[in-house]
């Protein structure tokens, strides 16, 4: 790849080349006696012309070569070789997700600035973060992956259109036609601009004209977020999996007329949430991702099914023999599913359990299994134990 100094050198060489050609043409014409005040009547000596041309070009080449060598030595930009090494391990998507102007900008910043973390490349994920950390000598820390989430479920069959749009099949073009053809001006237009701009092929359009994100391919680079004209896409941390998939700020009645799956700001989620995570503002419910424990209690209660649960299957919790009867699970459960006497093994009422995984995460001895987050919780606890043993 070219860096700034290489580009400067190439520009100087190109300019020199074009100047030489121009000079050569000018001198050849003058020598050959064409035009102006030079006598054109005499014969042209081709041999002499060629010798002159070669001598002239050779001389010019030597002059410019010496000039370039001098300029290269005098104005050489000293770059840390680590910049090139980091640049080589970055994926080259130039997506800007790191907050810098492309991969070169990030490579320079992470090498030069001690405050720039080695794990800012979202498409590169963990392997690139470790490689950058190794090259720069910085501490590698895991970065929670981010995924693009489509904050609208108003597919074409589930939403109302104001008119028939027959222009260019692109959302950015469709929105120029009076704000788009959908009655809800906040919703996904469904012409697939996001799918086309995704450099990783992570978005496809389903048969109902809604984008579907493949989280295995999605790197959280935010290109789709920037391209979507209705700002329907949000790139969010992977652990935030219960979301109000609607952006409509229309009044509840209007939203209901325009879309079958929009948030009508009824506030039911606010009432049922045990952690005060949702709140309704501007006719729209929003879940505070820092408060939400992804228990999923609000999901079935929403009358329009506007809340999307990205945890596909919520299997129920069960308590294992290493339970110490501390009663923590009974205290944290939002649906009072665990019970038992202090210091005796507890049990979980399967009919009540909603598989939220809160007890699994809070159990001090990792005695609760079966929930979607159990393997992750156990792995984190094992890692913690290992680090503690190493430090001792
Ligand atoms: S999410 Fe945005 S860019 Fe993608 S299809 Fe919908 S309106 Fe178009
Ligand atoms: S998932 Fe649970 S914690 Fe999150 S908003 Fe819904 S009810 Fe509240």
């Amino acid at each position: 790849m070219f860096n700034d100094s290489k580009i400067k050198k190439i520009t100087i060489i190109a300019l020199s080349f074009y100047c030489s050609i121009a000079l050569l043409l000018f001198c050849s014409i003058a020598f050959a006696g064409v035009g102006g005040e030079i006598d054109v009547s005499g014969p042209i000596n081709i041999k002499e012309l060629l010798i002159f041309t070669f001598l002239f070009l050779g001389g010019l080449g030597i002059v410019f070569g010496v000039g370039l060598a001098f300029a290269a030595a005098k104005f050489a930009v000293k770059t840390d070789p680590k910049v090139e090494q980091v640049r080589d391990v970055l994926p080259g998507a130039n997506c800007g997700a790191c907050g810098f102007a492309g991969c070169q900008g990030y490579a320079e910043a992470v090498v030069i600035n001690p405050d720039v973390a080695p794990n800012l490349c979202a498409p590169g994920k963990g392997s690139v973060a470790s490689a950058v950390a190794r090259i720069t000598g910085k501490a590698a820390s895991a970065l929670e992956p981010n995924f693009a989430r489509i904050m609208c479920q108003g597919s074409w069959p589930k939403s109302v259109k104001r008119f028939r749009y027959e222009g260019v099949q692109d959302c950015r073009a469709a929105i120029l036609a009076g704000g788009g053809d959908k009655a809800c001006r906040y919703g996904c237009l469904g012409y697939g601009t996001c799918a086309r701009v995704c450099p990783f092929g992570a978005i496809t359009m389903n048969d109902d004209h809604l984008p579907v994100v493949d989280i295995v391919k999605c790197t959280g680079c935010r290109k789709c977020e920037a391209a979507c004209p209705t700002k329907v896409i949000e790139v969010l941390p992977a652990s935030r999996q219960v979301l109000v998939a609607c952006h409509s700020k229309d009044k509840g009645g209007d939203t209901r007329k325009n879309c079958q799956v929009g948030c009508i700001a009824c506030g039911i989620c606010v009432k049922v949430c045990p952690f005060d995570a949702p709140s309704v503002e501007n006719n729209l419910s929003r879940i505070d991702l820092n408060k939400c424990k992804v228990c999923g209690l609000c999901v079935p209660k929403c009358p329009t099914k506007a809340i999307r649960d990205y945890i596909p299957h919520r299997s129920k919790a069960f308590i294992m023999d290493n339970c110490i009867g501390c009663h923590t699970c009974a205290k944290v459960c939002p649906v009072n599913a665990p019970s038992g006497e202090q210091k005796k093994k507890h049990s979980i009422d399967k009919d009540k359990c909603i598989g939220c995984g809160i007890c699994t995460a809070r159990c001090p001895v990792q005695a609760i299994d079966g929930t979607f987050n159990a393997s992750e919780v156990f792995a984190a606890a094992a890692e913690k134990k290992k680090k503690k043993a190493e430090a001792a």
Side-chain angles (χ1 to χ4, degrees), residues 241-244 269-270 272-278 286-288 291-299 307 309 314 334 354 356 358:
Q241 304 194 78
V242 177
L243 304 164
V244 179
C269 52
V270 179
V272 298
C273 177
F275 308 101
D276 295 328
R286 270 285 157 268
I287 293 178
D288 182 335
K291 289 183 180 171
C292 177
K293 305 270 189 261
V294 295
C295 71
L297 260 182
C298 53
V299 179
I307 305 180
D309 187 353
R314 288 178 180 265
I354 54 169
C356 69
I358 295 173

Side-chain angles (χ1 to χ4, degrees), residues 171 188-194 205 211 228-230 232-233:
C171 309
C188 169
L189 295 167
Y191 293 104
T193 298
C194 49
M205 299 302 290
C228 174
T230 51
V232 153
I233 302 178

Side-chain angles (χ1 to χ4, degrees), residues 17-51:
F17 179 73
Y18 286 121
C19 288
S20 318
I21 297 288
L23 264 170
L24 176 66
L25 280 172
F26 177 76
C27 292
S28 302
I29 289 165
F31 188 82
V34 178
E37 294 168 9
I38 297 167
D39 182 10
V40 293
S41 57
I44 296 168
N45 186 334
I46 294 292
K47 193 177 162 195
E48 264 182 35
L49 174 64
L50 283 174
I51 291 170

Side-chain angles (χ1 to χ4, degrees), residues 148 150 170-172 188 190-205 209-213 223-229 232-233:
I150 312 298
D170 185 276
C171 309
R172 290 170 292 196
C188 169
Y191 293 104
T193 298
C194 49
R196 283 188 290 278
V197 299
C198 176
F200 304 99
I203 304 182
T204 47
M205 299 302 290
H209 298 266
L210 261 192
V212 179
V213 179
K223 287 225 165 177
C224 54
E225 191 184 59
C228 174
V232 153
I233 302 178

